[in-house]
Amino acid sequence: ESGKRVLLVGGPAIVHTGAGPYLAELIRDGYINAIFAGNALAVHDMEAQFFGTSLGVNLHDAFPAEEGHVHHLRTVNRIRAAGGIANAIASGLLTGGVMYEAFKKQIPVVLAGSIRDDGPIPDVITDVVECQRAMRRYVPEIGMALLVCTLLHSIAVGNLLPSTCKTISVDINPASVTKLTDRGSHQTLGIVMDASSFLRELTLAIHAVEYDAEPTGFAP
């Protein structure tokens, strides 16, 4: 209502835990309107679209796929051959998922690189100073930040956000949740919870408000 953006800073655990469709839905419905992440979230999100796997593990039954260990590299190569995510969408190669919804909505997407990245895909900024500049550009527009299962990106973004920005840190590891506060982001509310459970319950709660009903699965 105030015209600010709701930022999601996400790690690949969002895809690994099967929460990708929930995040894609939140973007599509306009509840998340900025994404900061790394090469991994983008690649595994698109791997899920191409192969139904995340790091070679089937998302529908959690069993390793035959030769699934090469799926993320095949995904990187497909996107590199296409010239980037936008080109992959325009050509019909990519037809769904988190990156698809974000690019279709034309919301800010900053993918920050790492020395350990596979590829990376063309959309990833590999100069860390340029990454920080790209994120800072949107900081004045951010009214709320959801930091979901990505310790290093959460600390990096937390160091950029003002104390007036409502910040929620979600991770299954309690140390990750407390470390952000230890680094000076004292306004952060920490939730020890896995990515899938958090994004599922958030989506259900939003739908309950939309339809003026009790959220399914919540205790009174």
Side-chain angles (χ1 to χ4, degrees):
E1 291 178 351
S2 65
K4 295 284 189 176
R5 295 188 185 275
V6 178
L7 165 71
L8 185 128
V9 184
I14 291 173
V15 181
H16 300 335
T17 58
Y22 297 116
L23 178 53
E25 182 178 346
L26 291 169
I27 296 169
R28 184 169 59 249
D29 292 345
Y31 293 106
I32 301 293
N33 40 38
I35 297 282
F36 292 175
N39 182 69
L41 173 63
V43 170
H44 297 144
D45 165 63
M46 294 184 288
E47 177 191 337
Q49 301 305 309
F50 295 152
F51 301 103
T53 61
S54 179
L55 272 183
V57 176
N58 282 311
L59 287 171
H60 69 278
D61 61 13
F63 283 99
E66 186 175 358
E67 297 189 2
H69 60 285
V70 301
H71 286 178
H72 68 292
L73 292 177
R74 293 190 186 280
T75 299
V76 168
N77 289 340
R78 287 187 184 187
I79 299 302
R80 287 174 67 88
I85 297 172
N87 289 349
I89 294 171
S91 68
L93 176 64
L94 183 64
T95 59
V98 174
M99 290 297 110
Y100 174 86
E101 298 295 347
F103 274 71
K104 292 293 282 188
K105 279 282 189 179
Q106 297 184 326
I107 65 173
V109 177
V110 179
L111 301 178
S114 164
I115 197 170
R116 64 190 175 182
D117 286 341
D118 295 307
I121 58 174
D123 303 270
V124 170
I125 304 170
T126 55
D127 184 321
V128 293
V129 176
E130 290 303 319
C131 289
Q132 203 173 75
R133 286 175 179 154
M135 291 189 290
R136 280 197 181 116
R137 173 185 171 190
Y138 298 107
V139 165
E141 303 174 11
I142 297 168
M144 182 177 186
L146 303 176
L147 317 177
V148 183
C149 295
T150 172
L151 173 60
L152 297 181
H153 281 84
S154 294
I155 291 173
V157 175
N159 288 342
L160 298 178
L161 295 174
S163 61
T164 53
C165 180
K166 185 183 291 291
T167 307
I168 315 295
S169 176
V170 182
D171 204 299
I172 196 65
N173 184 352
S176 297
V177 172
T178 58
K179 197 174 289 292
L180 185 65
T181 302
D182 293 343
R183 290 298 188 94
S185 300
H186 297 294
Q187 80 275 19
T188 305
L189 170 66
I191 301 175
V192 179
M193 196 174 193
D194 78 281
S196 182
S197 298
F198 173 74
L199 289 170
R200 181 186 68 242
E201 297 299 329
L202 177 61
T203 305
L204 289 172
I206 287 172
H207 287 327
V209 171
E210 286 177 340
Y211 296 106
D212 194 25
E214 287 296 324
T216 304
F218 279 81

